Structures are given as structure tokens and as C-alpha cells.
Amino acid sequence: GLHCSLEHFEGDADTRFAREAFRLLRPGGALLVIPFYCTFDEYREYVEAANAPGCRFHRYYTPAAFQARVLAHLPPPFHVEV
């Protein structure tokens, strides 16, 4: 599994990851995604090279941004719980 990774995928890699993960699932399979970096204020992306090595990019999802960036691009049928 991935741990604390989705928020560090740059560009549209978060959307592409979700599509690929669902493509690889067996029928009836499940994928649990919990964005660790969440905010209810505003969606943010930033680059901070001085943070942890290899983690220069950070994305803070709002529930609406996670829906629009990731969930809205998944092929049917899928079940979402928020």
C-alpha cells in the first residue's frame, strides 16, 4: 500500500493513479483512499524544497476538490463514501 503519497503526486498524477487503481481492481474489489492532507478552508498546492527529502510537492484537498480532481474521473460503477 501507499502511505502518505497521494498528496505528493504532482500535476494530474492523483487523477491518473485513481483511474489506474480502479482499472486493476478485480470485479467487486475495493480501494480505500484517505487523503492525509485535508483542509476545509481552500484547496492548495505548493512546492517546499526544504521539507522532507523527496517530498517537495504538497497538495491539500478540500472535500470538494478531492471529488472534482479524483472521484469525478473514475469510471462507473464505483461506490464512494465520504
Side-chain angles (χ1 to χ4, degrees):
L2 298 172
H3 172 67
C4 194
S5 298
L6 187 68
E7 296 85 355
H8 301 291
F9 293 171
E10 295 188 44
D12 70 342
D14 55 344
T15 302
R16 290 183 292 118
F17 165 77
R19 280 192 209 135
E20 183 66 2
F22 271 83
R23 185 185 75 79
L24 295 173
L25 283 176
R26 289 186 210 161
L31 173 68
L32 175 63
V33 176
I34 302 171
F36 286 151
Y37 299 155
C38 297
T39 179
F40 289 95
D41 298 330
E42 65 180 274
Y43 171 80
R44 298 189 304 264
E45 293 182 2
Y46 66 94
V47 175
E48 184 179 1
N51 203 4
C55 295
R56 68 182 202 98
F57 178 82
H58 303 274
R59 183 187 318 271
Y60 282 77
Y61 292 101
T62 62
F66 188 73
Q67 170 69 34
R69 288 194 57 84
V70 179
L71 301 179
H73 298 278
L74 298 177
F78 68 93
H79 173 75
V80 175
E81 291 184 29
V82 179

